[in-house]
Amino acid sequence: MTTRAPEPQANGLVIVPARYLGRWIAAVAVVGILLMLIYSMFANERFHWDVVGEYLFAKPVLAGLGRTLMLTAISMLIGIVLGIVVAVCRLSANPILSTAAWAYSWFFRGTPLMVQLLFWFFLAALIPNIGLGIPFGPELLSIDTNSVISPFTAALLGLSLNEGAYMGEIVRSGIRSIASGQTEAAKAIGMSRMQTMRRVILPQAMRVIIPPTGNETIGMLKYTSLVIVIGYSELLTSVSIIYSRNFQTIPLLIVAAIWYLAVTAVLSVGQYFVERHFERGFSPIKGKKPAAPAASAAGPGAGPMAAPSIEPELEPSK
């Protein structure tokens, strides 16, 4: 490897390239550990890669993967809608709405998700029948709770209600990141509060809301594995049923991990393009750098001069 020679300067000074010995040591250590892990994965016969290949596209595993994706999508959709409602209520001037929204966020963020899933699954022990009727009056309809709260329903309630509390805080932070002058300008041209929120505030807040929402979606994909405690047959439950029969625990867990990683990679790519879409009009144009300030004609011995402020060129909003 050739070493670049120091570059002489006109003023007699010599620029010597910095040497980062610590970076090279860290890089060699990381590469060494990575090679050791790869070697152990393929040299250790107990990984049983033949079993992994056999069950990677097995029908029960793919069916469990499909249920995982369905549960993730529906739970996130309900959670986002709940989060918007909770955020708007938290920011409301009505003390009853703001207090109720705060209590909702406090309760569902303050209790473990697994506890919530178990609570919804065993709801029949607390409420044997779900009745519909006039408050403090006659009951018009009564439904057995066990017939309504299936493993899928309990999983959906637990995941979506929990996600709604977190999304409420994400949306609220996005709304509060917008300057109050935007709301005042919308009111000045006669927009209602709902129109202001829908047409002015939320479109601008999306660039703040999207990144954590993408992370929550990836997290939801992994949180669906918790529904194994209530017996819903998603991906992890499906592979656990298989390895309870053939006792190939590690290979089947590797199968589940591979599918989780694959879906996470796809979601990460989608998140990147969505973020890029909502960053339009805010990010500097790639490849363009601000021009350097003009050097002082008085030479190096002159006093300091105030450099003109240079703003990066922004993409026009589409």
Side-chain angles (χ1 to χ4, degrees):
M1 183 176 66
T2 59
T3 304
R4 189 175 59 181
E7 300 178 1
Q9 300 296 312
N11 55 8
L13 299 178
V14 177
I15 298 178
V16 179
R19 295 176 175 83
Y20 302 100
L21 182 61
R23 294 183 182 179
W24 284 100
I25 295 175
V28 171
V30 170
V31 171
I33 293 173
L34 183 61
L35 292 175
M36 290 173 57
L37 289 175
I38 294 175
Y39 174 78
S40 63
M41 287 175 60
F42 289 97
N44 191 343
E45 297 179 354
R46 294 182 179 87
F47 277 97
H48 293 291
W49 292 106
D50 55 333
V51 179
V52 174
E54 178 184 354
Y55 286 99
L56 187 60
F57 296 98
K59 190 173 294 185
V61 174
L62 294 180
L65 176 63
R67 285 188 284 267
T68 293
L69 296 176
M70 178 183 65
L71 190 59
T72 300
I74 299 176
S75 298
M76 277 305 301
L77 180 62
I78 298 175
I80 290 172
V81 173
L82 283 175
I84 294 173
V85 174
V86 170
V88 172
C89 291
R90 282 289 305 271
L91 298 172
S92 173
N94 188 320
I96 297 178
L97 290 179
S98 61
T99 303
W102 174 86
Y104 172 85
S105 298
W106 170 76
F107 178 81
F108 284 99
R109 292 198 303 154
T111 53
L113 178 56
M114 187 175 291
V115 174
Q116 297 175 33
L117 290 170
L118 291 171
F119 177 85
W120 290 112
F121 185 66
F122 294 111
L123 185 63
L126 180 65
I127 306 175
N129 296 291
I130 299 175
L132 299 175
I134 301 174
F136 307 104
E139 188 176 76
L140 303 178
L141 179 64
S142 179
I143 305 173
D144 182 28
T145 304
N146 282 324
S147 63
V148 176
I149 305 297
S150 63
F152 173 75
T153 308
L156 191 61
L157 285 171
L159 293 172
S160 58
L161 291 176
N162 181 268
E163 186 59 35
Y166 286 94
M167 282 302 304
E169 294 302 307
I170 292 173
V171 175
R172 185 172 71 94
S173 65
I175 293 174
R176 296 192 65 178
S177 69
I178 306 302
S180 59
Q182 300 285 333
T183 304
E184 294 171 359
K187 289 180 179 178
I189 61 175
M191 282 189 175
S192 65
R193 180 178 174 85
M194 186 62 67
Q195 289 176 326
T196 302
M197 184 64 64
R198 184 167 54 90
R199 297 183 179 181
V200 178
I201 303 300
L202 283 180
Q204 297 183 73
M206 289 301 289
R207 62 185 291 265
V208 179
I209 295 172
I210 288 298
T213 302
N215 294 337
E216 287 293 312
T217 304
I218 294 173
M220 177 63 72
L221 173 71
K222 295 177 288 187
Y223 294 151
T224 56
S225 62
L226 294 176
V227 304
I228 189 174
V229 298
I230 59 176
Y232 181 68
S233 297
E234 42 72 60
L235 179 57
L236 184 60
T237 307
S238 299
V239 300
S240 67
I241 292 173
I242 297 174
Y243 70 64
S244 65
R245 295 172 180 170
N246 60 12
F247 304 104
Q248 298 289 346
T249 305
I250 298 299
L252 268 301
L253 290 177
I254 292 175
V255 168
I258 290 174
W259 279 117
Y260 282 123
L261 288 172
V263 177
T264 299
V266 174
L267 291 176
S268 299
V269 173
Q271 178 183 354
Y272 167 77
F273 283 105
V274 174
E275 289 181 14
R276 185 178 175 184
H277 171 78
F278 284 101
E279 282 287 339
R280 292 183 306 173
F282 295 95
S283 305
I285 299 177
K286 293 183 178 179
K288 289 194 175 183
K289 296 182 179 179
S296 172
M305 297 181 62
S309 61
I310 300 172
E311 296 293 334
E313 186 177 356
L314 301 181
E315 283 185 323
S317 300
K318 296 180 181 179

